[in-house]
Amino acid sequence: MIQETLKTFKPEQQNLLQILHALQDQHPQNYLTEQALEETARYLKLTKSSVFGVARYYSMFSTTPRGRYIIRICASPVCELLKVNTVIAHLEQILAIKTGETSSDGLFTLELSECLGQCQEAPSMMINDKVYNNLDANRIKTIINEYKQKNHD
Amino acid sequence: MQKTIKLTIDNKVVKATEGENLLQVAKNNNIAIPNLCYHKKFSPTGACRLCIVKIKDQNGLIASCGVTAKEGMIVTAFDEELEEARKYLLDYLLSEHDETYDATYTDEFRELIFRYGLDKKENRYFPSIVKELAYPKDETSPILSYDAAKCIKCFRCIKACDEVQGKNVLSFTNRGIHSYIIGGFDKWGESECDGCGECIQLCPTGAIVEKPHREEIQLNGDIKKVRTTCPYCGVGCQLELFVQNGKILRSNGVDDVSPNYGRLCVKGRFGYDYVQHHERLTTPLIKKNGKFVEASWDEALDLIAQKFTEIREKYGKKALAGYASAKTTNEDNYLFMKFIRLVFGNNNVDYCTRLCHASTVTAMLRALGDGAGSNSIEDYEHSDYILVTGNNMIDTHPVTATFVKYAVQRKGAKIVIIDPKWTPLVKDAYIWLQPKLGTDVALLNGMIREIISNDLIDRSFIEKRVDGGMEAFEALKELTEKYTPEYTEKITGVPARLFTEAARIYATAKRPLIATGMGFSQQVTGTHNVFALINMMLITGQIGRVGAGLNPPRGQNNVQGVSDVGASPFTYPGYISVEDANNRRKVAEIWGVPFEELDGEKGLSTVEIMQAAYDGQVKGMYIMGENPMITDPNLNHTEESIKKLEFLVVQDIFHTETTPFADVILPATAFAESEGTYVNSDRRVLRVRKAVDPPGQARQDWEIVAEIARRMGKPLGNYKHESDIWNEIAKTAPIFGGISYDRLDHQGIQWPCPTPDHPGTATLFTEKFNTPNGLGKLHPVDHVEQSEKADIEYPFILNTGRILYQYHSSTMSRRNKSLTDFANEAYLLMHPDDVDRCGFKEGQMVRITSKRGEIATVVRRSSEVLKGELFMPFHYPEAPVNKLTRDELDPYSKIAPFKISAVRVEAL
């Protein structure tokens, strides 16, 4: 599986970030396994540490297992003014985790993010690639349930 | 010539070379601008900001490491503002730094802390937050520890690994204040790190410190630092040994001097522990009733003198022979050679060169007139095309490889590798040609034909510098005509498009340098291989310039020197034939002996001596620091031969696989207990200096040799010091004529150096070759089928070679924990398809059988070898691969074909 993904890219060092994204996305636990990093290093003729250093530098990458859905909630000033903290608290409560952790069913990981560029409809968050705006307690509940439902089906 | 410029730093006018870095200019002029991340061995980083200065007409405080010095520049290096800023920066760094110090490393940061008075807490502005940061430690490497709390993230280690060593094993993880250095996936011990320790030597703070002897070393205490030459391969790296209480506790590279400019490999840095190993021989041993018993020097030496004399009287003088040693000094070997010629009275003296580069030397002597490397090691850095053939230099000559990698990685040079087996340098290669074993001549003839048919020859060079000019060339052209790309591809298995391109770019390169190796020379056709290579070089005129030529790196520390000082059955010191009566007359005069006493008939070579022992012609043997029971080919035959000897003396530092067969074993000194010189691969005479006392009663080799001679009634001379011997060498060998110990004190000198005012010779053959008529000679050679081929009974071809962490018969290397932690197990590499076809599993024990013997080892799946071919390292006595190899010799050089043996492999 890793090899198949690698082969969709040319073995050029400039493709490193895209390869890491692709490998992370294809993993059900949304992270870069040591095997994925190792095969990437070999494919691009890089040393292990060069690949690991990049994977650990960018907050979008993880080298430890995460949930299927990564919730990135905006913690920048506009969202903060519009009480994103209550939204975070609410999320922590319904997922029964703290920021940075993964829910026990392995579905959600809660992370903070810099500005998502949605200030006109703040507070905002992303779940994987999808953006959600105008967040409040009810809307959060509906969204999370949708994902739970989707996964259940 | 670069322009000299003048600039002013703190009102002082200083000179600099145009293009030089401002911080380096200040350092060169003893203006001590503080700095931590900068080092002249690599590009400036600008991370620590301590080297800030003010430059007239420029704004702000500027990091001087990133500034190029310019004519007329006016620089302020020290004023109140700059010093305040530096102190602030140091204070800030200190707040996230663990300041404990155990005096096991040099701490440049700590020195600055004291210089700026920050050792006193009241002078600091920032409180320490190092505990809260909870930095990790990495102890997974066998040779070093990394402590992130002592790391200032100057990135010197990363640059040392990347830019100096060309390995790029290190990187950093995380961001900002939480970042730290990593090897591999944050586990140094599982990274690609090969333990060279460049990062340790360049770490300014003790974040990276070596593990061996860290419990013992105390830099505040009484440490003696002794500069000497590394005892492993033929690069001749300059080491600084740290000696405390008579024990070596550390080895660093010596900066600023050739050939290594401070660089080392894992063996040079960590391979010294064998010197102080408890198994060292400490007293003479005499075999009595099949057992070795301790003896006094007098008893042992008298017995040896008596036995050698008896053999000479009973069987004649040709019944005695000796192996000199590429491990010991020139002085030791010169006296050993003198001993054989004067006391034994024959020329039966040889050593391991016959097993490694004899074919290269033979071919080069015939074609070019000198058998040594034509260029300096650092020339690789200036080459634009490097042809590496049968040479796994990252494993065998790691420091040479750093120059090659620099040329490729930093200057865009192209490497072409000819090797049947993958080597780590392939990662940096532009083209890798993978010929079938034993097809080198065909491949090179194919390349020559490609060069000729594209008209890429150098006519004027051929006419001026080649014997026979265009006529000789025509003969080569005619012979190579049949090596069409298709024909060559058929023989070698190498795709035509690859070797034809490799040939064209070689011919058109500006400064192409060739590195040959054992894969090329250790064949029955070894001399022919080198002839073919020299043919290609001569018709393209690619020799005789800086960066262009032919460099066969020497395997042992002093292989070059032992040949140079004449420990050869064919040549006297300075490569003068034993048959040259005029030279013998001259030497007899220097030695103060009658001319008639010097035998003018060539002696027996290494493998021939063993064969003569087998045939009963050689009855007594003196082996100094060699281990033929591992390194000679066809070991079962060697064992039978050695058993037939009536009397054998082995002089060594340890018991080896050869010592059980000895009648007397003599304890000699190791490199760090000896005075003298070695000659490295680029003909550089380098000093070896005594750092510690020898164990027990061990004596330096030359003293033992001289003592036996005296007791046999033929004293070799009156030598008070090794320099007395050297001065005699310089008299007998014109190539050394101008070299004395005084001149070698700071840096080695490359021969030929005929007179005391001669600077030495970095590049050979610039004006003429060293042949009698000064011209290079073409030797057109045809591809010959190998006499040993795979067949139904022995379906595989076995290749042998070396690995980085072990060294030759492993007598020395295996007695260093740092090295055995990396690699300590024999194995057989087999192509995955063959492994599956044979039904083997990874790590399974197998028996390998050739017509000559059998051994057992474990099999490893590896696509490093071609299908049908196998590879095995030859270091390990428990799987002595030379039981399988042949002693069928190359007719010209007498080298044995270690690289090609037909074998079968069966499950055990």
Side-chain angles (χ1 to χ4, degrees), chain A residues 86-122:
Chain A
T86 61
V87 178
I88 294 172
H90 197 70
L91 270 169
E92 288 183 338
Q93 191 200 332
I94 61 173
L95 296 172
I97 53 172
K98 290 205 178 72
T99 304
E101 292 177 349
T102 300
S103 59
S104 58
D105 56 6
L107 279 184
F108 300 97
T109 297
L110 183 58
E111 293 179 0
L112 298 182
S113 163
E114 298 305 321
C115 181
L116 296 173
Q118 306 290 323
C119 308
Q120 74 282 9
E121 297 178 273

Side-chain angles (χ1 to χ4, degrees), chain B residues 194 391-398 401 405 423-426 428 804:
Chain B
D194 67 8
N391 178 339
N392 177 9
M393 61 168 71
I394 287 186
D395 279 295
T396 60
H397 299 83
K405 285 185 277 184
T423 72
L425 199 60
V426 168
D428 286 295
L804 173 64

Side-chain angles (χ1 to χ4, degrees), chain A residues 34 37-38 45-54 56-59, chain B residues 167-175 180 182-186 190 192:
Chain A
E34 216 166 276
L37 295 171
E38 190 152 358
K45 291 188 180 172
L46 290 167
T47 53
K48 291 182 187 179
S49 70
S50 322
V51 175
F52 190 78
V54 168
R56 288 283 290 261
Y57 182 83
Y58 292 101
S59 60
Chain B
K167 295 168 185 162
N168 197 23
V169 171
L170 304 181
S171 184
F172 68 96
T173 188
N174 299 340
R175 287 183 302 275
Y180 60 92
I182 51 165
F185 302 143
D186 206 1
E190 291 171 20
E192 302 88 341

Side-chain angles (χ1 to χ4, degrees), chain A:
Chain A
M1 186 68 179
I2 294 170
Q3 280 303 323
E4 283 156 27
T5 307
L6 287 174
K7 281 185 185 128
T8 62
F9 296 91
K10 279 191 182 162
E12 290 166 2
Q13 294 181 8
Q14 63 192 25
N15 290 332
L16 176 60
L17 286 177
Q18 292 186 59
I19 289 175
L20 293 181
H21 274 299
L23 291 175
Q24 174 164 286
D25 289 349
Q26 81 182 31
H27 195 283
Q29 286 172 294
N30 249 314
Y31 83 113
L32 291 161
T33 62
E34 216 166 276
Q35 194 193 349
L37 295 171
E38 190 152 358
E39 290 186 31
T40 304
R42 205 174 307 131
Y43 188 68
L44 298 182
K45 291 188 180 172
L46 290 167
T47 53
K48 291 182 187 179
S49 70
S50 322
V51 175
F52 190 78
V54 168
R56 288 283 290 261
Y57 182 83
Y58 292 101
S59 60
M60 297 289 277
F61 296 127
S62 174
T63 53
T64 50
R66 295 187 291 183
R68 172 162 301 175
Y69 306 109
I70 313 295
I71 304 171
R72 293 190 178 88
I73 189 147
C74 180
S76 289
V78 177
C79 285
E80 203 158 321
L81 284 171
L82 293 167
K83 305 243 176 333
V84 78
N85 282 346
T86 61
V87 178
I88 294 172
H90 197 70
L91 270 169
E92 288 183 338
Q93 191 200 332
I94 61 173
L95 296 172
I97 53 172
K98 290 205 178 72
T99 304
E101 292 177 349
T102 300
S103 59
S104 58
D105 56 6
L107 279 184
F108 300 97
T109 297
L110 183 58
E111 293 179 0
L112 298 182
S113 163
E114 298 305 321
C115 181
L116 296 173
Q118 306 290 323
C119 308
Q120 74 282 9
E121 297 178 273
S124 302
M125 70 175 182
M126 284 177 84
I127 298 186
N128 289 358
D129 291 336
K130 204 158 180 236
V131 181
Y132 297 89
N133 298 326
N134 297 318
L135 299 175
D136 57 28
N138 281 336
R139 199 161 142 64
I140 288 280
K141 201 171 183 179
T142 319
I143 296 168
I144 295 297
N145 278 338
E146 267 172 33
Y147 275 91
K148 281 186 175 168
Q149 192 62 37
K150 191 159 84 183
N151 200 64
H152 197 66
D153 301 339

Side-chain angles (χ1 to χ4, degrees), chain B residues 329-335 676-677 702 722 725-726 729 741:
Chain B
T329 65
N330 293 319
E331 292 72 8
D332 295 331
N333 280 286
Y334 174 82
L335 277 206
T677 54
W702 71 264
E722 291 73 13
I725 307 175
W726 176 264
I729 297 173
Y741 274 26

Side-chain angles (χ1 to χ4, degrees), chain B residues 145-163:
Chain B
S145 320
Y146 170 69
D147 182 353
K150 299 206 72 76
C151 177
I152 55 163
K153 290 116 185 181
C154 65
F155 300 156
R156 268 204 210 173
C157 51
I158 293 178
K159 291 207 161 180
C161 193
D162 182 19
E163 295 184 23

